[in-house]
Amino acid sequence: WGLPNVGCVVRYGDNVDDEWLCVWVAREITPRFPSAAATCTNLDGEDTNGQVLLIEAAEHLPPWLEPDTSVNRVFLAGGVVQLEPPHSSLSPHPPLAI
């Protein structure tokens, strides 16, 4: 793609604290790099929880956001959770605080 990027895959097993450490690191890094965005997804074999940030923010999500519509729409930018609405790829939905 030609853009600077960092990728990370962490296998933490049953320790959910390690999962949240990864979220914290992403939340701390994104404000320091204005063009950076991060996603936090659980890909652990049998326990496929999917979007970690969506699970924690479930009570505050807009009605259009379902597991089928959330792919590539939820990310951390500037230290806050951002949603990209399905009808617009130009500007992110107002940040959600979780």
Side-chain angles (χ1 to χ4, degrees):
W1 293 4
L3 297 174
N5 62 76
V6 175
C8 178
V9 174
V10 179
R11 298 199 185 274
Y12 52 83
D14 293 331
N15 191 346
V16 73
D17 290 336
D18 288 346
E19 178 179 53
W20 286 109
L21 175 64
C22 294
V23 172
W24 177 81
V25 168
R27 193 174 140 233
E28 291 296 309
I29 288 174
T30 58
R32 290 171 172 78
F33 300 92
S35 63
T39 60
C40 301
T41 305
N42 182 348
L43 301 175
D44 186 25
E46 295 176 15
D47 182 24
T48 309
N49 288 336
Q51 296 283 342
V52 174
L53 301 173
L54 286 182
I55 293 165
E56 291 301 311
E59 295 179 12
H60 307 283
L61 297 174
W64 58 262
L65 192 65
E66 299 289 334
D68 294 343
T69 62
S70 68
V71 176
N72 297 324
R73 296 197 180 281
V74 181
F75 55 95
L76 280 163
V80 295
V81 176
Q82 301 279 330
L83 298 177
E84 184 68 35
H87 53 73
S88 170
S89 63
L90 300 176
S91 63
H93 198 64
L96 293 177
I98 61 170

